[in-house]
PDB file of all heavy atoms in Angstrom:
ATOM      1  N   THR A  22     168.177  74.055 118.988  1.00 98.00           N
ATOM      2  CA  THR A  22     169.072  73.224 118.173  1.00 98.00           C
ATOM      3  C   THR A  22     169.239  73.907 116.821  1.00 98.00           C
ATOM      4  O   THR A  22     168.353  74.619 116.348  1.00 98.00           O
ATOM      5  CB  THR A  22     168.539  71.812 117.960  1.00 98.00           C
ATOM      6  OG1 THR A  22     167.392  71.846 117.140  1.00 98.00           O
ATOM      7  CG2 THR A  22     168.240  71.104 119.264  1.00 98.00           C
ATOM      8  N   TYR A  24     171.658  72.939 113.004  1.00 98.00           N
ATOM      9  CA  TYR A  24     172.545  71.903 112.405  1.00 98.00           C
ATOM     10  C   TYR A  24     173.324  72.396 111.200  1.00 98.00           C
ATOM     11  O   TYR A  24     174.017  71.629 110.582  1.00 98.00           O
ATOM     12  CB  TYR A  24     171.698  70.687 112.028  1.00 98.00           C
ATOM     13  CG  TYR A  24     170.660  70.281 113.062  1.00 98.00           C
ATOM     14  CD1 TYR A  24     169.349  70.710 112.969  1.00 98.00           C
ATOM     15  CD2 TYR A  24     171.059  69.523 114.167  1.00 98.00           C
ATOM     16  CE1 TYR A  24     168.424  70.357 113.935  1.00 98.00           C
ATOM     17  CE2 TYR A  24     170.112  69.158 115.143  1.00 98.00           C
ATOM     18  CZ  TYR A  24     168.787  69.603 115.000  1.00 98.00           C
ATOM     19  OH  TYR A  24     167.870  69.267 115.960  1.00 98.00           O
ATOM     20  N   LEU A  41     172.443  74.259 120.333  1.00 99.00           N
ATOM     21  CA  LEU A  41     172.851  72.883 120.501  1.00 99.00           C
ATOM     22  C   LEU A  41     172.852  72.171 119.162  1.00 99.00           C
ATOM     23  O   LEU A  41     171.820  72.142 118.454  1.00 99.00           O
ATOM     24  CB  LEU A  41     171.834  72.160 121.442  1.00 99.00           C
ATOM     25  CG  LEU A  41     171.965  70.632 121.526  1.00 99.00           C
ATOM     26  CD1 LEU A  41     173.293  70.230 122.131  1.00 99.00           C
ATOM     27  CD2 LEU A  41     170.835  70.026 122.321  1.00 99.00           C
ATOM     28  N   VAL A  42     174.014  71.650 118.801  1.00 99.00           N
ATOM     29  CA  VAL A  42     174.065  70.765 117.613  1.00 99.00           C
ATOM     30  C   VAL A  42     173.744  69.384 118.154  1.00 99.00           C
ATOM     31  O   VAL A  42     174.603  68.629 118.607  1.00 99.00           O
ATOM     32  CB  VAL A  42     175.450  70.783 116.956  1.00 99.00           C
ATOM     33  CG1 VAL A  42     175.397  70.084 115.597  1.00 99.00           C
ATOM     34  CG2 VAL A  42     175.955  72.214 116.798  1.00 99.00           C
ATOM     35  N   GLY A  43     172.425  69.126 118.230  1.00 98.00           N
ATOM     36  CA  GLY A  43     171.947  67.881 118.849  1.00 98.00           C
ATOM     37  C   GLY A  43     172.164  66.693 117.921  1.00 98.00           C
ATOM     38  O   GLY A  43     172.147  66.856 116.692  1.00 98.00           O
ATOM     39  N   ASP A  44     172.309  65.513 118.524  1.00 98.00           N
ATOM     40  CA  ASP A  44     172.336  64.331 117.657  1.00 98.00           C
ATOM     41  C   ASP A  44     170.929  64.045 117.128  1.00 98.00           C
ATOM     42  O   ASP A  44     170.742  63.161 116.302  1.00 98.00           O
ATOM     43  CB  ASP A  44     172.936  63.105 118.376  1.00 98.00           C
ATOM     44  CG  ASP A  44     172.209  62.686 119.607  1.00 98.00           C
ATOM     45  OD1 ASP A  44     171.246  63.385 120.010  1.00 98.00           O
ATOM     46  OD2 ASP A  44     172.576  61.653 120.207  1.00 98.00           O
ATOM     47  N   SER A  45     169.947  64.858 117.567  1.00 98.00           N
ATOM     48  CA  SER A  45     168.626  64.823 116.916  1.00 98.00           C
ATOM     49  C   SER A  45     168.744  65.121 115.424  1.00 98.00           C
ATOM     50  O   SER A  45     167.801  64.859 114.660  1.00 98.00           O
ATOM     51  CB  SER A  45     167.699  65.888 117.573  1.00 98.00           C
ATOM     52  OG  SER A  45     168.336  67.158 117.652  1.00 98.00           O
ATOM     53  N   LEU A  46     169.907  65.593 114.984  1.00 98.00           N
ATOM     54  CA  LEU A  46     170.127  65.803 113.526  1.00 98.00           C
ATOM     55  C   LEU A  46     169.937  64.494 112.779  1.00 98.00           C
ATOM     56  O   LEU A  46     169.628  64.517 111.582  1.00 98.00           O
ATOM     57  CB  LEU A  46     171.489  66.450 113.268  1.00 98.00           C
ATOM     58  CG  LEU A  46     172.786  65.653 113.443  1.00 98.00           C
ATOM     59  CD1 LEU A  46     173.108  64.794 112.219  1.00 98.00           C
ATOM     60  CD2 LEU A  46     173.933  66.615 113.707  1.00 98.00           C
ATOM     61  N   THR A  56     168.267  58.501 117.022  1.00 98.00           N
ATOM     62  CA  THR A  56     169.581  59.186 116.984  1.00 98.00           C
ATOM     63  C   THR A  56     170.741  58.170 116.926  1.00 98.00           C
ATOM     64  O   THR A  56     171.896  58.599 116.761  1.00 98.00           O
ATOM     65  CB  THR A  56     169.772  60.068 118.243  1.00 98.00           C
ATOM     66  OG1 THR A  56     169.670  59.251 119.412  1.00 98.00           O
ATOM     67  CG2 THR A  56     168.732  61.168 118.297  1.00 98.00           C
ATOM     68  N   ASP A  84     176.612  67.554 120.612  1.00 98.00           N
ATOM     69  CA  ASP A  84     176.341  66.236 121.222  1.00 98.00           C
ATOM     70  C   ASP A  84     177.395  65.217 120.909  1.00 98.00           C
ATOM     71  O   ASP A  84     177.896  65.129 119.770  1.00 98.00           O
ATOM     72  CB  ASP A  84     175.004  65.720 120.641  1.00 98.00           C
ATOM     73  CG  ASP A  84     173.859  65.823 121.646  1.00 98.00           C
ATOM     74  OD1 ASP A  84     174.128  65.950 122.851  1.00 98.00           O
ATOM     75  OD2 ASP A  84     172.699  65.834 121.189  1.00 98.00           O
ATOM     76  N   LYS A 114     178.037  67.831 124.887  1.00 98.00           N
ATOM     77  CA  LYS A 114     176.960  67.300 125.740  1.00 98.00           C
ATOM     78  C   LYS A 114     176.994  65.793 125.750  1.00 98.00           C
ATOM     79  O   LYS A 114     177.137  65.152 124.677  1.00 98.00           O
ATOM     80  CB  LYS A 114     175.599  67.791 125.219  1.00 98.00           C
ATOM     81  CG  LYS A 114     174.425  67.222 126.031  1.00 98.00           C
ATOM     82  CD  LYS A 114     173.130  67.982 125.835  1.00 98.00           C
ATOM     83  CE  LYS A 114     172.371  67.629 124.565  1.00 98.00           C
ATOM     84  NZ  LYS A 114     172.031  66.196 124.457  1.00 98.00           N
ATOM     85  N   GLU A 116     174.930  62.306 127.087  1.00 98.00           N
ATOM     86  CA  GLU A 116     173.732  61.726 127.689  1.00 98.00           C
ATOM     87  C   GLU A 116     174.146  60.688 128.741  1.00 98.00           C
ATOM     88  O   GLU A 116     175.044  59.866 128.511  1.00 98.00           O
ATOM     89  CB  GLU A 116     172.891  60.989 126.614  1.00 98.00           C
ATOM     90  CG  GLU A 116     172.227  61.928 125.628  1.00 98.00           C
ATOM     91  CD  GLU A 116     171.261  61.222 124.693  1.00 98.00           C
ATOM     92  OE1 GLU A 116     170.927  60.042 124.946  1.00 98.00           O
ATOM     93  OE2 GLU A 116     170.855  61.863 123.703  1.00 98.00           O
ATOM     94  N   HIS A 136     173.264  65.526 130.454  1.00 98.00           N
ATOM     95  CA  HIS A 136     171.914  65.331 129.916  1.00 98.00           C
ATOM     96  C   HIS A 136     171.305  64.124 130.631  1.00 98.00           C
ATOM     97  O   HIS A 136     171.764  63.003 130.465  1.00 98.00           O
ATOM     98  CB  HIS A 136     172.020  65.076 128.388  1.00 98.00           C
ATOM     99  CG  HIS A 136     170.673  64.930 127.719  1.00 98.00           C
ATOM    100  ND1 HIS A 136     170.530  65.063 126.343  1.00 98.00           N
ATOM    101  CD2 HIS A 136     169.447  64.630 128.167  1.00 98.00           C
ATOM    102  CE1 HIS A 136     169.262  64.876 125.986  1.00 98.00           C
ATOM    103  NE2 HIS A 136     168.569  64.558 127.093  1.00 98.00           N
ATOM    104  N   PRO A 141     167.633  60.077 124.768  1.00 98.00           N
ATOM    105  CA  PRO A 141     167.130  59.358 123.584  1.00 98.00           C
ATOM    106  C   PRO A 141     168.043  58.231 123.051  1.00 98.00           C
ATOM    107  O   PRO A 141     167.536  57.321 122.411  1.00 98.00           O
ATOM    108  CB  PRO A 141     166.938  60.454 122.554  1.00 98.00           C
ATOM    109  CG  PRO A 141     166.707  61.688 123.354  1.00 98.00           C
ATOM    110  CD  PRO A 141     167.595  61.543 124.535  1.00 98.00           C
ATOM    111  N   VAL A 179     171.040  69.270 131.011  1.00 99.00           N
ATOM    112  CA  VAL A 179     169.756  69.183 130.320  1.00 99.00           C
ATOM    113  C   VAL A 179     168.888  68.149 131.095  1.00 99.00           C
ATOM    114  O   VAL A 179     169.343  67.072 131.435  1.00 99.00           O
ATOM    115  CB  VAL A 179     169.933  68.723 128.867  1.00 99.00           C
ATOM    116  CG1 VAL A 179     168.589  68.345 128.235  1.00 99.00           C
ATOM    117  CG2 VAL A 179     170.609  69.790 128.051  1.00 99.00           C
ATOM    118  N   GLU A 181     165.468  66.213 130.360  1.00 98.00           N
ATOM    119  CA  GLU A 181     164.516  65.978 129.270  1.00 98.00           C
ATOM    120  C   GLU A 181     163.341  65.102 129.758  1.00 98.00           C
ATOM    121  O   GLU A 181     163.549  64.042 130.338  1.00 98.00           O
ATOM    122  CB  GLU A 181     165.230  65.306 128.093  1.00 98.00           C
ATOM    123  CG  GLU A 181     164.240  65.012 126.919  1.00 98.00           C
ATOM    124  CD  GLU A 181     164.919  64.685 125.588  1.00 98.00           C
ATOM    125  OE1 GLU A 181     166.171  64.788 125.494  1.00 98.00           O
ATOM    126  OE2 GLU A 181     164.171  64.340 124.649  1.00 98.00           O
ATOM    127  N   ILE A 202     163.710  70.508 128.681  1.00 98.00           N
ATOM    128  CA  ILE A 202     162.948  70.229 127.431  1.00 98.00           C
ATOM    129  C   ILE A 202     161.870  69.243 127.847  1.00 98.00           C
ATOM    130  O   ILE A 202     162.166  68.140 128.271  1.00 98.00           O
ATOM    131  CB  ILE A 202     163.852  69.720 126.280  1.00 98.00           C
ATOM    132  CG1 ILE A 202     162.984  69.362 125.064  1.00 98.00           C
ATOM    133  CG2 ILE A 202     164.801  68.592 126.678  1.00 98.00           C
ATOM    134  CD1 ILE A 202     163.732  69.324 123.725  1.00 98.00           C
ATOM    135  N   VAL A 212     165.326  74.501 126.155  1.00 98.00           N
ATOM    136  CA  VAL A 212     165.825  74.144 124.834  1.00 98.00           C
ATOM    137  C   VAL A 212     164.689  73.534 123.998  1.00 98.00           C
ATOM    138  O   VAL A 212     163.861  72.804 124.540  1.00 98.00           O
ATOM    139  CB  VAL A 212     167.047  73.175 124.863  1.00 98.00           C
ATOM    140  CG1 VAL A 212     166.731  71.902 125.610  1.00 98.00           C
ATOM    141  CG2 VAL A 212     167.567  72.878 123.492  1.00 98.00           C
ATOM    142  N   VAL A 214     163.869  71.777 119.938  1.00 98.00           N
ATOM    143  CA  VAL A 214     164.403  71.366 118.632  1.00 98.00           C
ATOM    144  C   VAL A 214     163.850  72.352 117.580  1.00 98.00           C
ATOM    145  O   VAL A 214     162.634  72.591 117.545  1.00 98.00           O
ATOM    146  CB  VAL A 214     163.993  69.900 118.345  1.00 98.00           C
ATOM    147  CG1 VAL A 214     164.279  69.543 116.900  1.00 98.00           C
ATOM    148  CG2 VAL A 214     164.723  68.943 119.267  1.00 98.00           C
TER     149      VAL A 214
HETATM  150  O1  KIV B 301     169.747  66.027 120.315  1.00 59.51           O
HETATM  151  C1  KIV B 301     169.014  66.926 120.809  1.00 59.51           C
HETATM  152  O2  KIV B 301     168.385  67.732 120.071  1.00 59.51           O
HETATM  153  C2  KIV B 301     168.905  67.002 122.246  1.00 59.51           C
HETATM  154  C3  KIV B 301     167.844  67.875 122.788  1.00 59.51           C
HETATM  155  C4  KIV B 301     166.550  67.214 122.669  1.00 59.51           C
HETATM  156  C5  KIV B 301     168.136  68.294 124.192  1.00 59.51           C
HETATM  157  O3  KIV B 301     169.633  66.395 122.928  1.00 59.51           O
END
Side-chain angles (χ1 to χ4, degrees):
T22 68
Y24 317 96
L41 170 65
V42 190
D44 61 355
S45 49
L46 71 83
T56 59
D84 255 339
K114 177 163 81 57
E116 290 188 12
H136 182 162
V179 169
E181 180 165 353
I202 176 160
V212 58
V214 169

